[in-house]
Amino acid sequence: MLKNPETKYRPFAPVHLRDRRWPDAVITKPPVWLSTDLRDGNQSLIEPMNHDRKLAMFNQLIKIGFKEIEVGFPSASETEFAFLRHLIEKNLIPDDVTVQILTPAREPLIRRSFEALKGAKRAIVHFYNATAPIMRRVVFNMSQDQVLDELAVTHARLIRQLADERPETEWVFEYSPEMFSGTELDFSKRVVDAVVDALGGTKEKPVIINLPSTVEHSTPNIFADMIEWMHRNLARREAIVLSVHPHNDRGTGTAAAEFAMMAGADRVEGCLFGNGERTGNVDIVNLALNMYTQGVHPNLDFSDIDEVRKTVEYSNQLPVHPRHPYVGDLVFTSFSGSHQDAIKKAFSARKEGDIWEMPYLPIDPKDLGRSYEAVIRVNSQSGKGGISYLLEHEYGLVLPRRLQIEFSQIVQEVTDTTGKEVTAADIESVFRRSYLEARSPYGYVAHHLVEDSTRDSVELSTEITVDGKSQRIAGQGNGPIDAFINAMSKVVGERLTVQDYHEHAIGAGADAAAVSYIELKLGSGKTLFGVGRDANIVTASLKAILSGVNRALAQRAGAQRAA
């Protein structure tokens, strides 16, 4: 890289639109959408789509709800020509969908394009010629007047003539001053005004004027100024559908498109997930769902976003990045412990029908056909919130807060050791091994409970195993837990103290189970949890006590070995 890049590159000149209005505008309705996946997207692929892949993409675009689809460049190749003929001859174009073709401002290619469209009920003929100074000077060796007359106006008149000769089709005209983003605004206006006149644009039958950022040269606010300047200065604005075709060379294609809509654009051309030449076209899914999160329906249906992605990946033979907005595998996923904790609490507080206000989730994944399964995933960066969320939502285990803290440390040891993500199933397995399967040296077999209402106490007779051998113990207390604690204190030779108790049901009916979480202390040791699960709540509580005792003894033995 150059130490002084200003010796090679110059900053893009601002428009100096002092009374610009677009910064205060609000997008309240969707634009007219044009998918160019089958044309601009296709021509950018290492291996262009074959017939089957193009047809799969076309059908997916219709299913999403696109009403204007640029199906190809039929004058460029026989494959493109044949595909368009297949759509028309097999009557595969719905009546409410308009196909569009692209052609350069060259007479043989324009005539070939009209041949390809023969029999179409309604079609958009999109023609273009470059207007930027670098193209006029280096490629065409033409003056502004020559570009306007010999390229733009002459071919506009030809297109109108060919359309008039084919009245069986409803024709719509579109013109792009290619490289608009690098063209002087006054010249762009001259060319567009002349083309609209040549094509006979009216309020009733407007011409689509497409202003592409063929190459992103500037920050998106300057592109918005350019669009607003054209919007306000074109001679026959009422006879124009103002369209934009943003590219993404600077990585700001989405912002440029949104600003352009705020600046007066009526229509947006782009591709699903931003495919296209170089860094791509503007991402229509991104744009549409940005609107949706602001309460504006985009008139496109992405309620099964994974199916859309699958089709696009099949047709383009390109993967969608896992961090791609709204559709990537990881875009609704939080690994961070603090993020997970906030999401868990917000989900717990939210009621059905509430306005969507969720930390770190700008859209409800369910609106896009995604589940909450991937919202929280656990690795070494995760905390108690994510771990407890997965246990609750996947397995119905609602851990008390202090147990969340205790168990998260166990999971952290696993993730630190492996360095890998752990799934909900992995976490449940660790939980089961650590708590529910902690059966040594003490295990539960059976119990018998006798209540004495006159003394407000109970007698509990319990059969347990001690190192695999059966033993019957008995105790009294003000309830079964107290009675069992008294009995087990005698067995282990140290006082057991219950610090906290929680229980809840999982499931309903014949398959219902109770889970008991008991925080206890063995002698003067630290408190820890035991967990028990059973169809009977008393049995679950007794198992939880034994789980806690076994864990306490195991930790004590481990500490002694370490010493």
Side-chain angles (χ1 to χ4, degrees):
M1 295 178 67
L2 299 176
K3 290 184 178 180
N4 298 304
E6 69 272 14
T7 63
K8 186 173 184 178
Y9 301 98
R10 60 182 175 219
F12 195 85
V15 177
H16 299 299
L17 190 67
R18 299 302 184 194
D19 60 341
R20 61 180 60 84
R21 302 162 191 166
W22 67 263
D24 292 325
V26 176
I27 298 173
T28 58
K29 63 179 182 179
V32 176
W33 300 107
L34 181 281
S35 162
T36 187
D37 289 271
L38 291 167
R39 197 277 302 172
D40 202 341
N42 184 50
Q43 74 184 39
S44 72
L45 299 176
I46 297 170
E47 182 180 330
M49 302 178 211
N50 60 21
H51 178 88
D52 291 343
R53 296 182 194 276
K54 285 175 75 80
L55 191 58
M57 178 70 83
F58 181 76
N59 289 331
Q60 183 66 70
L61 293 169
I62 290 172
K63 189 174 181 180
I64 291 168
F66 283 94
K67 301 305 178 186
E68 295 184 1
I69 301 172
E70 193 166 58
V71 295
F73 205 141
S75 63
S77 75
E78 187 58 36
T79 300
E80 298 281 282
F81 188 96
F83 179 72
L84 178 54
R85 294 310 308 155
H86 177 80
L87 294 180
I88 295 171
E89 292 169 5
K90 299 298 182 181
N91 198 29
L92 298 178
I93 306 168
D95 290 341
D96 63 345
V97 172
T98 304
V99 292
Q100 173 173 307
I101 61 89
L102 182 72
T103 178
R106 292 173 57 190
E107 181 173 349
L109 302 183
I110 290 171
R111 291 186 179 279
R112 178 68 169 164
S113 297
F114 271 91
E115 289 177 27
L117 286 166
K118 182 179 180 181
K121 295 176 183 176
R122 189 172 191 268
I124 301 170
V125 177
H126 179 192
F127 79 106
Y128 70 92
N129 61 270
T131 54
I134 184 66
M135 299 296 285
R136 299 195 308 260
R137 185 176 68 251
V138 175
V139 179
F140 301 144
N141 191 25
M142 286 183 170
S143 67
Q144 286 190 359
D145 289 344
Q146 287 175 306
V147 168
L148 188 152
D149 293 330
E150 297 176 28
L151 294 182
V153 173
T154 295
H155 293 97
R157 289 172 179 159
L158 174 63
I159 285 171
R160 186 175 180 183
Q161 173 196 326
L162 294 174
D164 288 343
E165 293 171 0
R166 297 162 175 79
E168 66 278 8
T169 297
E170 180 184 350
W171 298 103
V172 179
F173 306 130
E174 177 174 351
Y175 172 70
S176 288
E178 192 199 10
M179 301 185 75
F180 164 80
S181 51
T183 302
E184 310 94 329
L185 282 174
D186 58 349
F187 182 54
S188 292
K189 168 182 157 51
R190 279 186 63 206
V191 174
V192 168
D193 286 343
V195 167
V196 171
D197 284 340
L199 292 172
T202 64
K203 183 177 181 180
E204 294 71 29
K205 191 175 180 180
V207 173
I208 300 170
I209 294 298
N210 187 54
L211 304 178
S213 55
T214 308
V215 177
E216 272 198 316
H217 292 300
S218 68
T219 52
N221 60 300
I222 294 179
F223 184 67
D225 282 350
M226 296 172 71
I227 299 301
E228 182 169 334
W229 191 94
M230 293 289 285
H231 169 62
R232 291 163 60 176
N233 287 284
L234 289 171
R236 299 170 62 188
R237 179 64 178 89
E238 77 285 351
I240 291 170
V241 174
L242 195 61
S243 177
V244 290
H245 183 116
H247 277 251
N248 198 44
D249 300 272
R250 292 171 56 92
T252 58
T254 296
E258 290 179 328
F259 287 1
M261 284 186 280
M262 294 160 62
D266 309 305
R267 182 176 182 267
V268 174
E269 298 190 351
C271 290
L272 297 175
F273 311 130
N275 185 45
E277 293 278 23
R278 303 181 309 281
T279 56
N281 294 282
V282 70
D283 183 338
I284 286 184
V285 177
N286 196 167
L287 275 175
L289 293 178
N290 282 357
M291 288 182 210
Y292 183 81
T293 65
Q294 303 301 300
V296 177
H297 199 289
N299 290 339
L300 297 175
D301 183 6
F302 295 112
S303 56
D304 191 347
I305 197 75
D306 288 330
E307 181 199 354
V308 176
R309 180 181 63 179
K310 181 180 178 181
T311 301
V312 171
E313 289 181 331
Y314 163 73
S315 295
N316 290 342
Q317 300 184 76
L318 290 173
V320 173
H321 195 280
R323 297 290 183 189
H324 199 104
Y326 299 109
V327 69
D329 280 336
L330 298 177
V331 297
F332 299 126
T333 299
S334 286
F335 289 106
S336 161
S338 59
H339 291 195
Q340 293 173 347
D341 188 57
I343 291 170
K344 178 180 180 295
K345 290 174 179 175
F347 267 123
S348 298
R350 187 176 187 274
K351 299 180 180 64
E352 188 65 33
D354 286 353
I355 290 293
W356 184 258
E357 291 181 303
M358 191 65 59
Y360 310 110
L361 291 172
I363 193 171
D364 187 347
K366 285 191 174 180
D367 289 356
L368 305 181
R370 304 281 283 268
S371 72
Y372 294 142
E373 181 178 352
V375 168
I376 290 178
R377 288 163 62 174
V378 174
N379 63 13
S380 60
Q381 302 299 307
S382 306
K384 64 183 186 305
I387 293 165
S388 57
Y389 173 90
L390 290 176
L391 284 178
E392 179 175 347
H393 282 261
E394 298 297 318
Y395 298 98
L397 295 167
V398 185
L399 274 56
R401 178 172 175 76
R402 285 196 294 275
L403 177 53
Q404 293 177 26
I405 296 171
E406 179 183 295
F407 181 55
S408 69
Q409 295 170 351
I410 297 173
V411 176
Q412 190 78 33
E413 291 178 4
V414 174
T415 56
D416 283 344
T417 299
T418 64
K420 296 180 179 180
E421 177 189 356
V422 289
T423 66
D426 295 331
I427 293 170
E428 191 274 339
S429 178
V430 173
F431 184 82
R432 188 168 9 92
R433 292 196 307 270
S434 300
Y435 295 93
L436 298 174
E437 296 176 359
R439 298 169 185 165
S440 177
Y442 303 109
Y444 172 86
V445 179
H447 75 271
H448 178 67
L449 181 66
V450 177
E451 298 187 49
D452 186 343
S453 59
T454 62
R455 295 194 300 171
D456 195 23
S457 67
V458 301
E459 293 184 1
L460 182 71
S461 173
T462 309
E463 182 183 353
I464 63 172
T465 57
V466 182
D467 294 326
K469 295 181 181 180
S470 179
Q471 179 177 332
R472 186 168 293 277
I473 62 174
Q476 288 185 327
N478 56 21
I481 293 176
D482 188 43
F484 191 58
I485 285 289
N486 292 334
M488 282 302 299
S489 294
K490 296 175 184 177
V491 173
V492 299
E494 295 181 67
R495 181 60 191 168
L496 282 173
T497 307
V498 172
Q499 304 290 318
D500 202 2
Y501 171 82
H502 297 268
E503 57 88 11
H504 66 80
I506 297 178
D511 295 328
V515 180
S516 176
Y517 310 96
I518 295 183
E519 186 179 17
L520 51 78
K521 180 187 289 188
L522 177 59
S524 59
K526 68 177 184 179
T527 62
L528 45 67
F529 276 87
V531 182
R533 175 171 178 162
D534 196 88
N536 181 285
I537 185 56
V538 173
T539 303
S541 298
L542 303 186
K543 289 181 176 180
I545 293 169
L546 292 176
S547 166
V549 171
N550 290 332
R551 295 187 65 246
L553 292 173
Q555 287 189 11
R556 179 182 295 176
Q560 290 173 350
R561 286 193 298 270

mmCIF file of all heavy atoms in Angstrom, residues 306-324:
data_model
loop_
_atom_site.group_PDB
_atom_site.id
_atom_site.type_symbol
_atom_site.label_atom_id
_atom_site.label_comp_id
_atom_site.label_asym_id
_atom_site.label_seq_id
_atom_site.Cartn_x
_atom_site.Cartn_y
_atom_site.Cartn_z
ATOM 1 N N ASP A 306 -35.083 -20.712 5.138
ATOM 2 C CA ASP A 306 -34.139 -21.800 4.882
ATOM 3 C C ASP A 306 -34.394 -22.449 3.526
ATOM 4 O O ASP A 306 -33.456 -22.888 2.850
ATOM 5 C CB ASP A 306 -34.204 -22.838 6.003
ATOM 6 C CG ASP A 306 -33.594 -22.332 7.297
ATOM 7 O OD1 ASP A 306 -32.672 -21.496 7.217
ATOM 8 O OD2 ASP A 306 -34.033 -22.751 8.372
ATOM 9 N N GLU A 307 -35.654 -22.520 3.108
ATOM 10 C CA GLU A 307 -35.946 -23.060 1.779
ATOM 11 C C GLU A 307 -35.401 -22.129 0.703
ATOM 12 O O GLU A 307 -34.834 -22.581 -0.301
ATOM 13 C CB GLU A 307 -37.459 -23.226 1.588
ATOM 14 C CG GLU A 307 -37.820 -23.808 0.220
ATOM 15 C CD GLU A 307 -39.259 -23.578 -0.175
ATOM 16 O OE1 GLU A 307 -40.029 -23.069 0.648
ATOM 17 O OE2 GLU A 307 -39.588 -23.879 -1.339
ATOM 18 N N VAL A 308 -35.551 -20.817 0.913
ATOM 19 C CA VAL A 308 -35.020 -19.844 -0.044
ATOM 20 C C VAL A 308 -33.508 -19.994 -0.149
ATOM 21 O O VAL A 308 -32.947 -20.043 -1.252
ATOM 22 C CB VAL A 308 -35.397 -18.414 0.381
ATOM 23 C CG1 VAL A 308 -34.749 -17.395 -0.556
ATOM 24 C CG2 VAL A 308 -36.914 -18.231 0.381
ATOM 25 N N ARG A 309 -32.857 -20.091 0.985
ATOM 26 C CA ARG A 309 -31.399 -20.240 0.975
ATOM 27 C C ARG A 309 -30.993 -21.531 0.254
ATOM 28 O O ARG A 309 -30.039 -21.539 -0.537
ATOM 29 C CB ARG A 309 -30.856 -20.263 2.401
ATOM 30 C CG ARG A 309 -29.342 -20.420 2.448
ATOM 31 C CD ARG A 309 -28.816 -20.479 3.871
ATOM 32 N NE ARG A 309 -29.333 -21.643 4.588
ATOM 33 C CZ ARG A 309 -29.009 -21.929 5.846
ATOM 34 N NH1 ARG A 309 -28.227 -21.126 6.536
ATOM 35 N NH2 ARG A 309 -29.503 -23.004 6.423
ATOM 36 N N LYS A 310 -31.707 -22.600 0.515
ATOM 37 C CA LYS A 310 -31.374 -23.879 -0.115
ATOM 38 C C LYS A 310 -31.452 -23.776 -1.638
ATOM 39 O O LYS A 310 -30.570 -24.275 -2.353
ATOM 40 C CB LYS A 310 -32.333 -24.963 0.399
ATOM 41 C CG LYS A 310 -32.072 -26.356 -0.159
ATOM 42 C CD LYS A 310 -33.060 -27.356 0.415
ATOM 43 C CE LYS A 310 -32.843 -28.746 -0.169
ATOM 44 N NZ LYS A 310 -33.837 -29.722 0.376
ATOM 45 N N THR A 311 -32.490 -23.113 -2.131
ATOM 46 C CA THR A 311 -32.635 -22.955 -3.579
ATOM 47 C C THR A 311 -31.527 -22.094 -4.158
ATOM 48 O O THR A 311 -30.949 -22.409 -5.213
ATOM 49 C CB THR A 311 -34.002 -22.326 -3.907
ATOM 50 O OG1 THR A 311 -35.043 -23.170 -3.406
ATOM 51 C CG2 THR A 311 -34.173 -22.154 -5.409
ATOM 52 N N VAL A 312 -31.220 -21.001 -3.466
ATOM 53 C CA VAL A 312 -30.177 -20.101 -3.967
ATOM 54 C C VAL A 312 -28.818 -20.793 -3.975
ATOM 55 O O VAL A 312 -28.042 -20.661 -4.936
ATOM 56 C CB VAL A 312 -30.136 -18.808 -3.115
ATOM 57 C CG1 VAL A 312 -28.928 -17.956 -3.478
ATOM 58 C CG2 VAL A 312 -31.420 -18.018 -3.316
ATOM 59 N N GLU A 313 -28.529 -21.547 -2.938
ATOM 60 C CA GLU A 313 -27.252 -22.267 -2.900
ATOM 61 C C GLU A 313 -27.186 -23.323 -3.999
ATOM 62 O O GLU A 313 -26.125 -23.532 -4.599
ATOM 63 C CB GLU A 313 -27.045 -22.898 -1.523
ATOM 64 C CG GLU A 313 -26.764 -21.872 -0.433
ATOM 65 C CD GLU A 313 -26.531 -22.491 0.929
ATOM 66 O OE1 GLU A 313 -27.100 -23.582 1.197
ATOM 67 O OE2 GLU A 313 -25.807 -21.895 1.737
ATOM 68 N N TYR A 314 -28.313 -23.971 -4.277
ATOM 69 C CA TYR A 314 -28.348 -24.954 -5.362
ATOM 70 C C TYR A 314 -28.149 -24.276 -6.715
ATOM 71 O O TYR A 314 -27.336 -24.720 -7.543
ATOM 72 C CB TYR A 314 -29.688 -25.693 -5.341
ATOM 73 C CG TYR A 314 -30.003 -26.419 -6.633
ATOM 74 C CD1 TYR A 314 -29.334 -27.587 -6.979
ATOM 75 C CD2 TYR A 314 -30.974 -25.919 -7.508
ATOM 76 C CE1 TYR A 314 -29.617 -28.243 -8.178
ATOM 77 C CE2 TYR A 314 -31.263 -26.563 -8.697
ATOM 78 C CZ TYR A 314 -30.583 -27.729 -9.031
ATOM 79 O OH TYR A 314 -30.855 -28.374 -10.209
ATOM 80 N N SER A 315 -28.854 -23.181 -6.938
ATOM 81 C CA SER A 315 -28.796 -22.529 -8.252
ATOM 82 C C SER A 315 -27.462 -21.837 -8.488
ATOM 83 O O SER A 315 -26.905 -21.897 -9.591
ATOM 84 C CB SER A 315 -29.939 -21.520 -8.379
ATOM 85 O OG SER A 315 -31.196 -22.181 -8.369
ATOM 86 N N ASN A 316 -26.933 -21.181 -7.473
ATOM 87 C CA ASN A 316 -25.686 -20.430 -7.633
ATOM 88 C C ASN A 316 -24.440 -21.279 -7.413
ATOM 89 O O ASN A 316 -23.339 -20.868 -7.783
ATOM 90 C CB ASN A 316 -25.638 -19.254 -6.659
ATOM 91 C CG ASN A 316 -26.618 -18.159 -7.022
ATOM 92 O OD1 ASN A 316 -27.099 -18.083 -8.147
ATOM 93 N ND2 ASN A 316 -26.914 -17.302 -6.065
ATOM 94 N N GLN A 317 -24.622 -22.425 -6.761
ATOM 95 C CA GLN A 317 -23.486 -23.271 -6.362
ATOM 96 C C GLN A 317 -22.493 -22.472 -5.516
ATOM 97 O O GLN A 317 -21.278 -22.619 -5.625
ATOM 98 C CB GLN A 317 -22.792 -23.873 -7.589
ATOM 99 C CG GLN A 317 -23.722 -24.745 -8.432
ATOM 100 C CD GLN A 317 -23.017 -25.402 -9.586
ATOM 101 O OE1 GLN A 317 -22.289 -26.373 -9.423
ATOM 102 N NE2 GLN A 317 -23.242 -24.872 -10.791
ATOM 103 N N LEU A 318 -23.055 -21.614 -4.690
ATOM 104 C CA LEU A 318 -22.279 -20.811 -3.745
ATOM 105 C C LEU A 318 -22.938 -20.905 -2.380
ATOM 106 O O LEU A 318 -24.169 -20.826 -2.278
ATOM 107 C CB LEU A 318 -22.248 -19.335 -4.174
ATOM 108 C CG LEU A 318 -21.444 -18.966 -5.418
ATOM 109 C CD1 LEU A 318 -21.677 -17.494 -5.763
ATOM 110 C CD2 LEU A 318 -19.963 -19.232 -5.211
ATOM 111 N N PRO A 319 -22.154 -21.055 -1.313
ATOM 112 C CA PRO A 319 -22.750 -21.102 0.023
ATOM 113 C C PRO A 319 -23.123 -19.713 0.521
ATOM 114 O O PRO A 319 -22.520 -18.715 0.138
ATOM 115 C CB PRO A 319 -21.627 -21.689 0.881
ATOM 116 C CG PRO A 319 -20.372 -21.227 0.199
ATOM 117 C CD PRO A 319 -20.688 -21.219 -1.282
ATOM 118 N N VAL A 320 -24.145 -19.655 1.353
ATOM 119 C CA VAL A 320 -24.494 -18.412 2.040
ATOM 120 C C VAL A 320 -23.704 -18.375 3.351
ATOM 121 O O VAL A 320 -23.677 -19.348 4.093
ATOM 122 C CB VAL A 320 -26.011 -18.340 2.320
ATOM 123 C CG1 VAL A 320 -26.340 -17.134 3.189
ATOM 124 C CG2 VAL A 320 -26.776 -18.265 0.996
ATOM 125 N N HIS A 321 -23.064 -17.262 3.603
ATOM 126 C CA HIS A 321 -22.186 -17.151 4.764
ATOM 127 C C HIS A 321 -22.971 -17.343 6.060
ATOM 128 O O HIS A 321 -24.108 -16.874 6.181
ATOM 129 C CB HIS A 321 -21.508 -15.772 4.768
ATOM 130 C CG HIS A 321 -20.343 -15.684 5.698
ATOM 131 N ND1 HIS A 321 -20.487 -15.500 7.059
ATOM 132 C CD2 HIS A 321 -19.008 -15.767 5.469
ATOM 133 C CE1 HIS A 321 -19.291 -15.468 7.626
ATOM 134 N NE2 HIS A 321 -18.377 -15.635 6.691
ATOM 135 N N PRO A 322 -22.394 -18.037 7.058
ATOM 136 C CA PRO A 322 -23.119 -18.271 8.315
ATOM 137 C C PRO A 322 -23.443 -17.000 9.090
ATOM 138 O O PRO A 322 -24.309 -17.015 9.968
ATOM 139 C CB PRO A 322 -22.171 -19.178 9.121
ATOM 140 C CG PRO A 322 -20.838 -19.048 8.473
ATOM 141 C CD PRO A 322 -21.101 -18.756 7.036
ATOM 142 N N ARG A 323 -22.787 -15.878 8.775
ATOM 143 C CA ARG A 323 -23.083 -14.607 9.431
ATOM 144 C C ARG A 323 -23.899 -13.673 8.532
ATOM 145 O O ARG A 323 -24.032 -12.501 8.826
ATOM 146 C CB ARG A 323 -21.777 -13.899 9.832
ATOM 147 C CG ARG A 323 -20.942 -14.664 10.839
ATOM 148 C CD ARG A 323 -21.570 -14.708 12.208
ATOM 149 N NE ARG A 323 -20.723 -15.397 13.178
ATOM 150 C CZ ARG A 323 -21.119 -15.725 14.397
ATOM 151 N NH1 ARG A 323 -22.353 -15.446 14.790
ATOM 152 N NH2 ARG A 323 -20.308 -16.358 15.215
ATOM 153 N N HIS A 324 -24.444 -14.201 7.445
ATOM 154 C CA HIS A 324 -25.208 -13.371 6.522
ATOM 155 C C HIS A 324 -26.481 -12.883 7.211
ATOM 156 O O HIS A 324 -27.185 -13.670 7.834
ATOM 157 C CB HIS A 324 -25.567 -14.182 5.276
ATOM 158 C CG HIS A 324 -25.941 -13.333 4.108
ATOM 159 N ND1 HIS A 324 -25.111 -13.114 3.046
ATOM 160 C CD2 HIS A 324 -27.062 -12.628 3.851
ATOM 161 C CE1 HIS A 324 -25.700 -12.322 2.167
ATOM 162 N NE2 HIS A 324 -26.888 -12.016 2.641
#
